[in-house]
Amino acid sequence: MSSHTLTTAPSRQRVRPLAAAAVGNVVEWFDLTIYATFAVYFAPLFFPSADPAAALLSTFAVFAVGFFVRPLGGWLLGAYADRQGRKKALTLTIVLMAAPTFVVGLAPTYASIGLAAPIILVLARMVQGFAAGGESGGAMAYLSEIAPEGRKGLYSSFWYATVVAGMVMATLLGYVLAALMSPDALAAWGWRIPFLVGGVAGLVALWVRRAMVETRDVSADAGDSRHHTGLVDLVREYPRETLRVIVLMAGSATAFYTFVSYMPTHLIKSVGLSAPETFGVHTVSLVFFMVLLPLLGHLSDRIGRRPLGFVFSFGGAIAIYPLSLALSDVWFVSLLVDLAFLTLTACMFSVLAVIMAEQFPARMRAMGVGAPYNLSTAIFGGTAPFLLTWLAGQGRADWYFIYLATLVLLVSLGLTTKRARGSKQA
């Protein structure tokens, strides 16, 4: 296999590959987010129940199934990216994300085909979760590898910036459809529109990703006896680095899914902010967060990764609990608190991708990041909304924020331990 490498390419030749990776990531996270955004509309069609809450719960259980398939995707698709190249793997993840999105948009309901309807939904979510797991490790490796020296922090920060961009676009589409369509029309057929849009966008992203170039010559590794990329090889050769990624992600993923994904629900259910005010507050905060990420990523190229990581870890440990108590049904106060939460979170997520990518050599970087990253995200990030909801229902939301602050403090352990072999000093 011949590969075009970027080792000596001028910066202008890196813009198209960066854009190709970014566009694909936006589309994948748009596809992932529309499921949660529109679940309230299509839940009764696939899980009919006398209790609408039970139908919604079943739909989110399917969402969780997709979430916990992600470590498998991080492992298998990460290994594929290490063996066959980043471009092939990241092209495959687009196909695996777009196809099930189309399927959900066109899927018959329970009234039409009975039990087969929810089975189709489960299978589609599992494929999407598998694709998301593979996208993370492959894209983080790719962004760190196409970046010129001295700009790896900036380039890698676009991973999470595009994640948030996809989420914002899905939320805005939900707002537009809700404003233009009646609730009955949205529940009957309007919810299919975003899935069809996501499927078409996937085809566009697939075309755009043709601009990607391979970052290293994988054929050179084929005859190398040291070129092992299995999970056993990863744990045997890089046990500390693998554990470090898990530790880094425990607090980081919990913070991300609390402050980025679940905060609107918490503001409405537990704080008492109205729905329109909540979505206005959080949309402004997410846009701020998205813009801040590359700015801090660029800053990390000048001052190093660890200072920003420590701001998140120590600052979060000190500030998260008192900030949670300051949340209010006064929208301006909650906006300030939300901005504070996301500023802290941006300090970590602006450098997280490059920190993890720098832990492993290129020959097993995609799987080295993808497998432990998705495992820790599933365990800690995936349970965050449930845990906060349950404790808030018991009148103990403050316990959750103490738990979160503790996990965030432990992130410092992943920042202070010895770095991986062959990685660059942050």
Side-chain angles (χ1 to χ4, degrees), residues 284-307:
V284 170
S285 299
L286 284 181
V287 172
F288 171 79
F289 179 62
M290 181 174 61
V291 172
L292 191 58
L293 285 169
L295 296 177
L296 292 176
H298 180 60
L299 178 63
S300 78
D301 288 324
R302 298 176 178 272
I303 68 173
R305 326 287 182 220
R306 290 176 179 174

Side-chain angles (χ1 to χ4, degrees), residues 1-5 84-85 214-219:
M1 169 186 175
S2 67
S3 300
H4 179 90
T5 61
Q84 300 297 324
E214 194 49 75
T215 54
R216 62 190 188 84
D217 188 357
V218 293
S219 64

Side-chain angles (χ1 to χ4, degrees), residues 192-241:
R192 295 183 183 273
I193 294 174
F195 288 96
L196 299 177
V197 168
V200 172
L203 296 178
V204 174
L206 185 62
W207 179 79
V208 170
R209 278 200 168 170
R210 296 186 311 164
M212 292 177 67
V213 292
E214 194 49 75
T215 54
R216 62 190 188 84
D217 188 357
V218 293
S219 64
D221 290 325
D224 188 346
S225 61
R226 298 173 303 153
H227 185 57
H228 305 298
T229 57
L231 193 60
V232 174
D233 300 307
L234 174 69
V235 176
R236 184 179 66 244
E237 296 181 38
Y238 295 91
R240 288 178 298 178
E241 292 80 4

Side-chain angles (χ1 to χ4, degrees), residues 100-398:
T101 303
F102 259 132
V103 168
V104 174
L106 298 172
T109 64
Y110 188 93
S112 300
I113 59 172
L115 190 59
I119 291 176
I120 289 173
L121 202 62
V122 169
L123 292 176
R125 285 302 300 175
M126 289 180 71
V127 175
Q128 284 188 323
F130 184 80
E135 173 77 10
S136 55
M140 288 183 197
Y142 185 77
L143 289 172
S144 70
E145 290 165 358
I146 65 170
E149 286 301 321
R151 303 187 74 182
K152 291 186 181 294
L154 172 62
Y155 274 55
S156 297
S157 68
F158 279 100
W159 157 253
Y160 283 108
T162 52
V163 166
V164 178
M167 297 171 71
V168 170
M169 290 174 64
T171 303
L172 288 177
L173 180 58
Y175 175 81
V176 170
L177 290 178
L180 296 178
M181 300 179 68
S182 69
D184 289 342
L186 198 52
W189 58 270
W191 63 269
R192 295 183 183 273
I193 294 174
F195 288 96
L196 299 177
V197 168
V200 172
L203 296 178
V204 174
L206 185 62
W207 179 79
V208 170
R209 278 200 168 170
R210 296 186 311 164
M212 292 177 67
V213 292
E214 194 49 75
T215 54
R216 62 190 188 84
D217 188 357
V218 293
S219 64
D221 290 325
D224 188 346
S225 61
R226 298 173 303 153
H227 185 57
H228 305 298
T229 57
L231 193 60
V232 174
D233 300 307
L234 174 69
V235 176
R236 184 179 66 244
E237 296 181 38
Y238 295 91
R240 288 178 298 178
E241 292 80 4
T242 301
L243 180 61
R244 185 175 299 122
V245 171
I246 292 174
V247 171
L248 286 170
M249 285 309 303
S252 301
T254 308
F256 184 87
Y257 283 94
T258 301
F259 301 140
V260 177
S261 298
Y262 192 70
M263 186 53 65
T265 302
H266 180 65
L267 289 174
I268 294 170
K269 285 189 172 182
S270 303
V271 178
L273 202 64
S274 71
E277 288 176 333
T278 292
F279 287 113
V281 162
H282 199 58
T283 299
V284 170
S285 299
L286 284 181
V287 172
F288 171 79
F289 179 62
M290 181 174 61
V291 172
L292 191 58
L293 285 169
L295 296 177
L296 292 176
H298 180 60
L299 178 63
S300 78
D301 288 324
R302 298 176 178 272
I303 68 173
R305 326 287 182 220
R306 290 176 179 174
L308 289 171
F310 285 136
V311 169
F312 168 75
S313 183
F314 295 129
I318 294 170
I320 283 175
Y321 178 67
L323 282 173
S324 72
L325 298 178
L327 287 169
S328 165
D329 57 3
V330 178
W331 73 267
F332 186 73
V333 174
S334 283
L335 173 62
L336 293 177
V337 175
D338 204 17
L339 290 172
F341 278 144
L342 288 177
T343 299
L344 282 170
T345 307
C347 288
M348 188 68 216
F349 282 84
S350 60
V351 298
L352 186 57
V354 69
I355 287 176
M356 293 189 295
E358 288 174 340
Q359 301 300 314
F360 304 97
R363 65 186 177 86
M364 60 169 55
R365 180 171 292 138
M367 186 187 64
V369 173
Y373 167 89
N374 284 289
L375 177 63
S376 191
T377 298
I379 293 172
F380 293 96
T383 57
F386 172 82
L387 187 57
L388 177 52
T389 300
W390 181 72
L391 287 174
Q394 307 296 314
R396 296 293 184 181
D398 54 332

